[in-house]
């Protein structure tokens, strides 16, 4: 009998196909000793998730599984679902990628953790009812183990009242409730930003260690494996192509797939990974906030004093009658300001990246810029400030073009695209599968963008002053747009659901390019893709920017993508920009304590360096939509300076404030710092912090 936590022998998984079975896992052998962590990595479609689901017995009934799966000395393969249910949670547990889908939305968190604790205790009903207090005490202990500061409050909350990181911690607590021999974590941090990802990975490692469980970490990102795994197994096309200790694999990878995954994660084992992508580009334009005289050319996109408020409408339910708005019943609806006085500038041919944690206001900024450019007004959203676009950086007769007014010379068009008109900006969404109509073919999707009139905030741009393209012109521009994103014309007749994730994102980019924009607004354009496809899309965007003279405003939480793609970066927190500058300067010498913590949370793709690396601690924020927090903010605004006019937005979570004297800390909470340059900082950066010298002394080695 095997003494390993997991022993997989000659595992095969296949699914029915049109002509023949489609293999997903082909003869894989894996072993994990108790208490050890194995990182299972590979590109999308390599069979990672199929292997994990085969181990825990959650594959479709149509799947054919052969081989041997032994967990904690028990053979699981071949058991029916009822028999497997006795082992799930007790011998093997799973943490899924989407914690929101793993939790029941109508039950409180405490009840769901209680259920996981009781599932395998073997006690009769009377004893279970008599031990409810003991069960709840165990549940609260589990919530403490996964880092919940106030487990009783979390236990009383519903899943929607928690942040994504908190929901994932609850899923981890439920997985370790019965101290299983094996915990399988399938892409547990893919949907989380970099700081929450670091928290969750630390919690996962600590929780499985305390439970004495082995961990199978399934991921496509070798960067997060370096500091967590003892061994690494690489899958490609369902086959195990490499299996080594983490140090040996990172030091001398043998298989080409491993080499490519390491390069995509920013590893330093390959020649192309040693090159700083920012260094390959021309020097970025200096930040005017740091040096107002550094740039004299007109920007393509100029945003000044942008403020965005979302109105929270309360409703009063009346039995037998439709709900009425609270404002109509004389009760004021509260408003949450999500963007506060943001200034942005994007020059011709430049890429500016907005980075920050979830909820910092990045996507709201992007969407509201698009609203201003198109003249769209979203109900319940109040926008202040100006958004000016000057295609090609050239101004009109008065030097400005507010909200994409058509005055002034057109921007530099690609000769491959529209000869008829100029569109100021186009938006590329995060999830291409949701953005593309599944009922339309690729040709129809791109043609729709070609035929659509240029919708702008100015009524002077319409079909009346631009000739509608002919059918021949539309077909030619569709083919050209597809060629620009390196897709074959054979895909024109396919539907979005017949494409891979990378192909769908390329179609979304082609659709945006077909309208011939001056600026592309990119909202997390690669976050839903694996690291190899991410690298391809980033290279495509960089090539298109050079070839077509485009400007980009990118929202991203992946710092490696920002490093590869952007010239300048603006760091946002609580709707405000706290630091801005060139990518090279901000990444090499961050100034604001929040920026330092954000960059330090990024995965280190080197196991030796990762073990020595100590991220700057940054407490996880409470979600703004929690009812208790909303009521407390309205009653005691002084407790929540991040949403009030006065004070630094980062004060409640600042990693520096605890080291300051009381007077200096009080200044942080009462006086808002200005976004300015500093004598000791690089000349092309600016930061909004009162205590940059203190941050330098505390966080930089002597």
């Amino acid at each position: 009998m095997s003494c390993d936590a997991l022993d997989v022998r000659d595992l095969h998984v296949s699914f029915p196909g049109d002509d023949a079975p489609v293999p997903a896992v082909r003869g894989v052998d894996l072993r994990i000793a108790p208490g050890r962590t194995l990182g299972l990595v590979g590109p999308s479609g390599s069979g990672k998730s199929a292997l994990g689901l085969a181990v825990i017995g959650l594959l479709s009934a149509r799947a054919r599984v052969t081989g041997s799966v032994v967990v904690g000395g028990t053979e699981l393969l071949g058991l029916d679902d009822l028999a497997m249910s006795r082992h799930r949670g007790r011998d093997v547990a799973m943490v899924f990628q989407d914690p929101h889908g793993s939790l029941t939305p109508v039950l409180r968190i405490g009840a769901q953790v209680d259920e996981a604790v009781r599932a395998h205790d073997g006690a009769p009903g009377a004893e279970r009812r008599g031990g409810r207090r003991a069960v709840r005490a165990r549940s609260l202990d589990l919530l403490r183990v996964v880092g919940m500061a106030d487990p009783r409050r979390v236990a009383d909350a519903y899943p929607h009242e928690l942040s994504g990181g908190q929901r994932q911690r609850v899923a981890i607590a439920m997985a370790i409730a019965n101290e299983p021999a094996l915990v399988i974590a399938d892409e547990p941090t893919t949907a989380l930003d970099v700081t929450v990802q670091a928290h969750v990975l630390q919690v996962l490692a600590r929780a499985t260690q305390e439970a004495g469980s082995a961990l199978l970490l399934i991921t496509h990102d070798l960067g997060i494996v370096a500091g967590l795994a003892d061994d690494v197994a690489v899958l490609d096309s369902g086959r195990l192509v490499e299996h080594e200790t983490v140090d040996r694999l990172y030091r001398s990878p043998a298989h080409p797939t491993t080499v490519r995954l390491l390069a995509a994660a920013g590893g330093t084992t390959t020649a192309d990974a040693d090159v700083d992508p920012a260094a390959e580009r021309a020097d970025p334009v200096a930040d005017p906030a740091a040096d107002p005289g550094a740039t004299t050319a007109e920007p393509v996109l100029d945003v000044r004093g942008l403020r965005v408020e979302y109105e929270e409408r309360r409703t009063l339910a009346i039995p037998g009658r439709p709900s009425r708005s609270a404002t109509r019943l004389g009760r004021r609806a509260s408003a949450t300001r999500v963007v506060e006085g943001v200034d942005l500038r994007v020059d011709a041919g430049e890429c500016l990246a907005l980075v920050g944690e979830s909820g910092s206001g990045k996507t709201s900024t992007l969407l509201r810029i698009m609203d201003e450019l198109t003249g769209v007004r979203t109900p319940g959203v109040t926008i202040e400030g100006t958004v000016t676009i000057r295609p090609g950086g050239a101004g009109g007769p008065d030097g400005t073009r507010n909200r994409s007014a058509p005055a002034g010379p057109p921007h530099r068009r690609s000769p491959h695209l529209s000869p008829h008109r100029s569109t100021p900006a186009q938006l590329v969404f995060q999830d291409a599968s949701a953005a593309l109509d599944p009922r339309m073919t690729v040709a129809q999707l791109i043609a729709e963008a070609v035929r659509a009139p240029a919708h702008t905030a100015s009524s002077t741009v319409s079909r009346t002053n631009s000739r509608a393209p002919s059918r021949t012109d539309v077909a030619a521009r569709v083919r050209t747009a597809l060629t620009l994103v390196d897709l074959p014309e054979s895909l024109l007749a396919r539907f979005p659901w017949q494409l891979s994730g990378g192909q769908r994102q390329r179609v979304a980019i082609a659709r945006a390019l077909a309208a011939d924009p001056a600026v592309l607004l990119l909202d997390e354009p690669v976050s839903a893709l694996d690291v190899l496809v991410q690298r391809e899309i980033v290279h495509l965007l960089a090539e298109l920017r050079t070839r077509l003279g485009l400007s980009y405003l990118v929202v991203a939480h992946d710092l490696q993508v920002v490093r590869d793609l952007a010239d300048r970066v603006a760091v946002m927190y609580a709707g405000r920009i706290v630091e801005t500058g060139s990518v090279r300067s901000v990444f090499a010498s961050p100034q604001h304590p929040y920026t330092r913590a954000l960059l330090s949370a990024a995965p280190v793709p080197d196991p030796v360096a990762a073990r020595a690396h100590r991220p700057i601690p940054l407490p996880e924020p409470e979600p703004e939509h929690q009812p208790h927090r909303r009521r407390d903010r309205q009653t005691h605004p002084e407790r929540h300076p991040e949403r009030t006019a006065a004070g630094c937005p980062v004060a409640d979570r600042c990693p520096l404030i605890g080291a300051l004297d009381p007077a200096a800390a009080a200044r942080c909470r009462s006086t808002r710092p200005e976004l300015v340059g500093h004598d000791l900082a690089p000349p092309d950066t600016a930061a909004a912090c009162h205590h940059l010298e203190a941050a330098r002394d505390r966080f930089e080695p002597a």
Side-chain angles (χ1 to χ4, degrees):
M1 190 68 69
S2 173
C3 62
D4 291 318
L6 174 67
D7 188 357
V8 174
R9 301 289 179 91
D10 194 28
L11 183 66
H12 291 261
V13 178
S14 61
F15 297 92
D18 292 335
D19 300 319
V22 178
V25 180
R26 312 182 191 199
V28 169
D29 296 333
L30 282 179
R31 297 175 67 182
I32 309 178
R36 290 183 69 83
T37 297
L38 173 68
L40 184 63
V41 301
S44 292
S46 60
K48 307 184 302 296
S49 295
L51 189 151
L53 293 173
V55 170
I56 200 170
L58 291 178
L59 283 173
S60 164
R62 301 179 64 200
R64 184 172 185 270
V65 185
T66 61
S68 173
V69 175
V70 178
V71 175
T74 302
E75 174 64 60
L76 300 184
L77 205 60
L79 297 181
D80 59 29
D81 191 63
L82 179 61
M84 274 298 302
S85 65
R86 300 188 185 100
H87 296 278
R88 294 190 195 109
R90 187 185 67 185
D91 297 324
V92 56
M94 195 161 189
V95 178
F96 293 93
Q97 178 176 344
D98 180 14
H100 198 71
S102 304
L103 301 174
T104 304
V106 296
L107 292 180
R108 297 183 188 273
I109 295 298
Q112 299 190 55
V113 181
D114 290 349
E115 183 182 28
V117 171
R118 290 194 303 264
H120 297 284
D121 63 4
E127 294 181 19
R128 289 185 181 184
R129 288 192 294 272
R132 285 179 181 174
R133 291 185 179 179
V135 170
R136 177 50 60 94
R138 169 64 175 158
S139 298
L140 295 177
D141 285 342
L142 288 168
L143 293 175
R144 291 189 188 94
V145 167
V146 297
M148 295 295 191
D150 190 351
R152 291 188 180 277
R153 180 183 60 76
V154 172
D156 288 337
Y158 289 96
H160 72 272
E161 295 179 319
L162 303 182
S163 68
Q166 289 173 325
R167 286 195 293 265
Q168 196 62 290
R169 292 181 187 214
V170 171
I172 295 171
M174 294 170 65
I176 65 170
N178 293 282
E179 300 181 353
L182 175 69
V183 173
I184 303 171
D186 187 7
E187 301 279 9
T189 61
T190 298
L192 307 177
D193 59 55
V194 64
T195 53
V196 179
Q197 172 181 277
H199 282 297
V200 169
L201 290 176
Q202 292 171 1
V203 166
L204 186 61
R206 184 176 67 249
T208 52
Q209 184 178 11
E210 292 193 14
S213 305
L215 175 63
L216 176 60
L217 177 62
I218 299 173
T219 180
H220 62 256
D221 189 351
L222 273 168
I224 70 173
V225 172
L228 194 62
D230 302 301
D231 307 283
V232 183
V234 182
L235 281 184
D236 190 13
S237 300
R239 292 187 174 90
L240 187 64
V241 297
E242 193 160 1
H243 189 179
E244 278 289 358
T245 63
V246 64
D247 290 303
R248 188 174 300 171
L249 182 133
Y250 278 75
R251 185 171 59 249
S252 54
H255 196 273
T257 299
T258 311
V259 174
R260 290 189 296 126
L261 288 169
L262 278 172
T268 57
T269 60
T270 59
D272 61 340
D274 289 330
V275 180
D276 182 0
E280 295 178 334
R281 299 189 294 268
D283 288 340
V285 180
D287 190 348
D291 185 1
T295 304
T296 57
E298 294 285 357
V300 173
L301 179 65
D302 195 9
V303 180
R304 296 294 170 185
L306 184 66
R307 290 178 172 82
V308 180
E309 283 188 354
Y310 291 157
E311 182 180 344
E312 295 183 36
R313 290 184 177 271
R314 303 191 193 95
T315 59
L316 179 63
I318 301 176
R321 300 181 62 183
S323 297
R324 298 180 179 181
S325 169
T327 53
R328 294 177 62 185
L329 294 173
R331 306 169 80 184
R332 294 182 61 188
S334 62
T336 300
R337 180 161 289 181
V338 294
V339 179
E340 173 64 44
V342 165
D343 296 336
L344 296 174
R345 172 190 178 114
V346 182
D347 291 308
E350 183 185 45
C351 178
L352 172 65
L354 289 178
V355 302
E357 296 172 291
S358 298
S360 61
K362 308 184 301 296
T363 298
S364 292
T365 299
L366 205 68
L367 296 179
R368 301 294 76 85
I369 288 174
M370 198 67 187
D371 282 356
E372 287 293 279
L373 291 176
T374 58
V376 173
R377 287 294 174 267
T378 303
V381 178
T382 302
I383 305 175
E384 300 175 8
T386 61
V387 178
T388 305
I389 191 166
R390 303 176 180 89
D398 60 351
T400 64
R401 288 182 59 195
N402 188 32
R403 293 187 182 179
S404 69
H411 73 281
R412 183 181 68 181
R413 288 194 187 93
S414 163
H416 307 283
L417 293 176
S418 169
H420 307 293
R421 70 186 189 281
S422 166
T423 301
Q426 287 291 311
L427 184 61
V428 177
F429 292 94
Q430 176 178 353
D431 185 1
S433 61
L436 301 176
D437 191 331
R439 301 166 299 178
M440 300 174 69
T441 65
V442 170
Q444 292 170 331
L445 288 164
I446 301 176
E448 183 183 45
V450 173
R451 294 191 184 97
H455 295 289
T456 68
S458 171
S459 60
T460 59
V461 176
S462 68
R463 271 289 179 80
T464 61
N465 62 5
S466 63
R467 179 175 61 87
S470 66
R471 184 175 299 180
T472 303
D473 289 338
V474 170
R477 289 171 58 186
V478 167
R479 289 193 298 270
T480 299
L482 205 66
T483 302
L484 286 172
V485 296
D486 296 331
L487 288 179
E489 292 186 15
S490 59
L491 298 184
L492 286 173
R494 294 192 184 183
F495 293 92
W497 51 270
Q498 294 176 310
L499 306 177
S500 68
Q503 288 173 331
R504 282 194 295 267
Q505 195 63 287
R506 287 174 185 264
V507 170
I509 295 171
R511 180 177 163 88
L513 293 176
D516 195 19
V519 181
L520 279 187
L521 308 178
L522 304 160
D523 184 17
E524 300 278 9
V526 297
S527 64
L529 309 173
D530 71 53
V531 288
L532 295 182
V533 181
Q534 282 183 10
R535 193 175 180 88
E536 294 174 1
I537 299 297
V538 167
H539 286 174
L540 171 67
L541 290 170
E543 180 184 347
L544 290 172
R545 181 158 66 104
T546 302
R547 183 175 178 181
L548 304 180
L550 295 169
S551 300
Y552 295 157
L553 178 58
V554 182
V555 164
H557 69 260
D558 189 326
L559 300 178
Q560 184 63 37
V561 170
V562 173
R563 187 193 294 269
D564 288 349
L565 186 60
D567 299 307
R568 290 190 300 117
V569 60
V571 182
M572 290 192 71
Y573 183 84
R576 300 174 186 168
I577 293 178
V578 298
E579 185 165 356
T580 181
S582 69
V583 167
R584 187 178 306 168
S585 296
V586 171
F587 276 65
S589 181
Q591 300 300 307
H592 198 284
Y594 174 74
T595 308
R596 293 175 183 270
L598 194 69
L599 295 178
S600 74
V604 179
D606 182 303
V608 177
R611 285 192 286 267
H613 179 64
R614 295 294 180 268
I616 297 173
L618 190 67
E620 188 176 349
E622 293 185 86
E624 284 295 307
H625 57 267
Q626 287 185 3
H628 81 280
R629 184 168 175 81
R630 182 167 59 238
R631 290 192 299 268
D632 190 55
R633 187 185 337 117
Q634 294 166 352
T635 308
H636 303 285
E638 71 280 358
R639 298 179 185 173
H640 306 278
E642 75 279 8
R643 293 299 184 191
T644 60
C648 175
V650 194
D652 273 3
R653 300 178 63 213
C654 181
L656 176 66
I657 198 168
L660 300 175
D661 61 69
R667 183 187 180 197
C668 292
R669 293 191 170 95
S670 61
T671 306
R672 182 193 300 184
E674 297 295 328
L675 187 68
V676 295
H678 193 274
D679 293 339
L680 299 178
D684 59 350
T685 63
C689 180
H690 297 303
H691 308 292
L692 293 179
E693 290 188 25
R696 178 185 293 268
D697 294 340
R698 179 169 179 80
F699 299 120
E700 292 186 9

